[in-house]
Amino acid sequence: INGKRGDAEIRAKALNAAGNLTQQQGDYEAARALYQESLAIFSELGDRRRIAGSLVNLGNLAKAQGKYPAARDLYEEGLVIFRELGHRSGIAASLGNLGIVAYEQGEYPASRALHEEALSISLEEGHRWGIANMSCNLGNVLYQQGEFTAALTLQLESLATRYELGDRLGIQDSMQSLALLASTLGNSDLAARIWGFAERLREELCAPLPPNE
């Protein structure tokens, strides 16, 4: 029995990883099928932490396609489970994802509050990946609220951490935000060079911009 459970867990993890790669490459329907199969297996196993993670992945997929109400529902469902488990990094990630949904819908005060809470948890946990993500996302919100200096500080901190972590997809995300800031602050040449770097990096990673961007 334990062997069968172990095999099922390995298969579900592999399906989830394949879903991440497939989504990154822009094949959203294939990614959805992989995530759903992974979720079904984790549900059979009763692995609540990974059930929540699968729900978040499905939420990311919906968000990338601009399906924000569906993404919000999936993130909130995952957040409930992470809170029940006391899984702090999962809580932070879910709050951050909800913050992105609010951002994409122009709800900047709500997005800021969600990202500030997520960043606070990530700092308490010392979760550098989360700190980098939340700093970048919060910087985007501050940019929309006209706080350009604070936004620039957060984006540079996020970029430095992503370089240290070797997070190439995150690096291009930070670069996009920095290009926007450079353009707004009147340096269009620098903005173009930064954007070009981000585009080349996406090409190298075979990671086209998602539809919502």
Side-chain angles (χ1 to χ4, degrees):
I1 296 174
N2 288 337
K4 288 182 180 180
R5 179 182 177 87
D7 290 345
E9 185 175 313
I10 291 169
R11 175 173 171 74
K13 289 179 179 178
L15 288 164
N16 189 64
N20 290 340
L21 180 59
T22 304
Q23 179 181 342
Q24 177 180 310
Q25 294 173 338
D27 191 344
Y28 300 113
E29 292 310 310
R32 179 177 292 102
L34 290 163
Y35 287 145
Q36 287 175 337
E37 188 175 352
S38 175
L39 175 59
I41 296 172
F42 285 135
S43 296
E44 288 178 6
L45 296 173
D47 189 334
R48 288 178 58 73
R49 181 174 70 83
R50 291 193 172 90
I51 289 170
S54 294
L55 290 168
V56 168
N57 285 336
L58 284 165
N60 291 340
L61 190 62
K63 178 189 69 183
Q65 295 178 289
K67 300 176 181 178
Y68 299 123
R72 190 191 301 270
D73 289 345
L74 287 160
Y75 289 146
E76 288 179 345
E77 191 176 350
L79 178 59
V80 168
I81 297 173
F82 281 131
R83 287 196 189 280
E84 289 174 353
L85 297 174
H87 193 285
R88 299 272 288 166
S89 60
I91 292 169
S94 296
L95 290 170
N97 285 324
L98 286 166
I100 294 173
V101 170
Y103 173 88
E104 294 290 353
Q105 296 183 304
E107 301 167 4
Y108 300 128
S111 180
R112 180 171 183 163
L114 286 161
H115 279 119
E116 286 176 342
E117 184 179 358
L119 178 58
S120 176
I121 294 171
S122 296
L123 287 166
E124 289 171 6
E125 295 296 301
H127 187 220
R128 297 181 71 216
W129 198 287
I131 292 168
N133 289 341
M134 303 313 160
S135 295
C136 179
N137 293 336
L138 179 57
N140 289 336
V141 178
L142 296 183
Y143 168 84
Q144 294 294 343
Q145 294 184 312
E147 299 181 33
F148 301 135
T149 301
L152 179 60
T153 298
L154 284 168
Q155 295 298 355
L156 291 174
E157 290 174 353
S158 173
L159 179 61
T161 301
R162 283 169 161 169
Y163 263 108
E164 290 171 4
L165 294 171
D167 179 10
R168 298 181 75 203
L169 197 58
I171 289 168
Q172 73 77 33
D173 189 35
S174 293
M175 287 294 189
Q176 284 180 211
S177 297
L178 285 168
L180 187 61
L181 272 164
S183 177
T184 300
L185 295 173
N187 197 329
S188 57
D189 289 341
L190 177 60
R193 289 198 297 273
I194 295 172
W195 185 263
F197 176 87
E199 281 197 330
R200 287 196 301 274
L201 190 53
R202 273 200 172 272
E203 289 172 2
E204 291 173 9
L205 295 170
C206 298
L209 282 172
N212 73 310
E213 294 188 31

